Amino acid sequence: MLNNDIPDKNLDESHLKCSFGTLELELEVPAGVWNPTPNGILLGETLEQMDFSNEKVLELGTGCGIHAVILGLRGASELVLTEVDGSILGHAERNLQKYGITCPVEFLIADWIQVNQNGFDTVVANPPFALSNKTYRRYFIDTLILESHKLLKPGGRLIFIHSTMGDVPRTIRLLEECGLSVRIIADKDFPFRDYYFEDEVYLKEMAAVPGSYTVRDGVRYERLVAFEARMPQ
Ligand SMILES: C[S@@+](CC[C@H](N)C(=O)[O-])C[C@H]1O[C@@H](n2cnc3c(N)ncnc32)[C@H](O)[C@@H]1O
């Protein structure tokens, strides 16, 4: 059950209180750091129910570190966390310290999948999409899938989330074309955020994706879908 207080805007300062199963988290999200949206919260709820014991985990675009905290509390033995900007990583580090994450953590400034490391048991990401600032909006999703073989060890898994507006069948097809086996590990409907209506190009793109949203009682809903995709052994 999603009962978390999700901020309306994405880069304003906030104090985020959220509960994931038995975990109650209170995170500082300073101005300029991505405020977890329903995507981040649903991914957090999903990760909280999983086991990362003894795993070396990479999180791309960690933001305030919400998922990194959960990964650490759920047994990860080593974390590599990336962001575009060192100050964002500093804030994530403070949130990890607050929750006593003691496994080795590397904070890395990296441009998405360009981390120059490999052999990860798990890669986690909530890829930029609606606000990806890319003409090809799926850029972060597709590069994640196409390059995952460079990051993961054989049998390793990729866990990520995106909206039906990002074309779920296309993601499943690309994962399978790349030889990964796919499971849907969570899905949930959410009403559109206000800023979707401010982007005409985005509205046109989503209209071109069959089943990208539903309308109930005049309200548009997207469905958020979390994937677990495993590399062959
Ligand atoms: C959708 S937000 C997710 C943040 C956080 N994981 C969460 O779920 O709340 C995407 C994150 O990716 C970061 N990001 C954007 N472009 C990036 C890039 N080229 N390389 C690494 N991170 C990037 C953003 O700063 C942002 O924190």
Side-chain angles (χ1 to χ4, degrees), residues 34-36 40 59 61-63 66-67 82-84 88 110-112 126-128 140:
W34 183 265
N35 261 302
E59 186 187 17
T62 195
I66 184 171
H67 303 126
T82 78
E83 261 300 339
V84 272
I88 301 178
D111 185 4
W112 203 232
N126 173 10
F140 291 97

Side-chain angles (χ1 to χ4, degrees), residues 43-64:
L43 183 59
E45 290 177 345
T46 308
L47 297 173
E48 188 274 332
Q49 294 168 32
M50 301 175 80
D51 181 19
F52 297 92
S53 295
N54 304 315
E55 290 199 19
K56 181 179 175 186
V57 183
L58 168 67
E59 186 187 17
L60 300 175
T62 195
C64 68

Side-chain angles (χ1 to χ4, degrees), residues 5 19 44 59 65 112 137 142 151 173 197:
D5 184 13
S19 50
E59 186 187 17
W112 203 232
R137 204 177 295 264
D142 285 8
L151 302 170
R173 199 162 52 244
F197 295 101

Side-chain angles (χ1 to χ4, degrees), residues 10-225:
N10 289 318
L11 293 173
D12 284 356
E13 180 177 356
S14 79
H15 179 84
L16 181 75
K17 280 190 184 182
C18 38
S19 50
F20 301 100
T22 55
L23 294 180
E24 300 278 338
L25 300 185
E26 282 191 42
L27 299 172
E28 297 307 326
V29 189
V33 178
W34 183 265
N35 261 302
T37 59
N39 303 48
I41 300 296
L42 182 60
L43 183 59
E45 290 177 345
T46 308
L47 297 173
E48 188 274 332
Q49 294 168 32
M50 301 175 80
D51 181 19
F52 297 92
S53 295
N54 304 315
E55 290 199 19
K56 181 179 175 186
V57 183
L58 168 67
E59 186 187 17
L60 300 175
T62 195
C64 68
I66 184 171
H67 303 126
V69 169
I70 297 169
L71 291 163
L73 294 174
R74 287 291 170 262
S77 58
E78 200 177 332
L79 292 171
V80 178
L81 309 176
T82 78
E83 261 300 339
V84 272
D85 184 309
S87 69
I88 301 178
L89 288 170
H91 299 306
E93 185 171 11
R94 275 190 283 285
N95 281 324
L96 266 79
Q97 279 166 358
K98 178 174 175 181
Y99 286 96
I101 305 304
T102 52
C103 69
V105 183
E106 183 179 354
F107 296 92
L108 198 64
I109 299 172
D111 185 4
W112 203 232
I113 39 78
Q114 296 179 47
V115 295
N116 291 322
Q117 292 191 34
N118 55 31
F120 290 97
D121 296 288
T122 298
V123 175
V124 171
N126 173 10
F129 179 69
L131 300 176
S132 76
N133 282 328
K134 299 282 185 190
T135 307
Y136 181 73
R137 204 177 295 264
R138 279 182 55 100
Y139 173 86
F140 291 97
I141 297 169
D142 285 8
T143 52
L144 175 66
I145 296 171
L146 291 168
E147 300 289 307
S148 59
H149 67 284
K150 293 185 186 162
L151 302 170
L152 289 165
K153 70 176 197 186
R157 61 185 167 171
L158 180 59
I159 298 173
F160 66 106
I161 189 162
H162 73 69
S163 161
T164 39
M165 264 119 60
D167 199 339
V168 169
R170 188 165 168 179
T171 292
I172 293 173
R173 199 162 52 244
L174 187 58
L175 285 163
E176 291 180 344
E177 283 169 357
C178 291
L180 291 102
S181 52
V182 190
R183 271 189 338 123
I184 303 301
I185 51 175
D187 60 352
K188 194 163 187 171
D189 282 358
F190 287 92
F192 273 26
R193 295 162 217 169
D194 289 345
Y195 61 79
Y196 294 173
F197 295 101
E198 292 161 12
D199 184 342
E200 278 186 28
V201 176
Y202 188 32
L203 290 170
K204 190 174 81 179
E205 285 174 19
M206 64 178 80
V209 175
S212 64
Y213 63 88
T214 52
V215 183
R216 296 196 294 279
D217 297 329
V219 177
R220 287 193 196 189
Y221 293 85
E222 64 182 319
R223 192 160 191 81
L224 304 181
V225 178

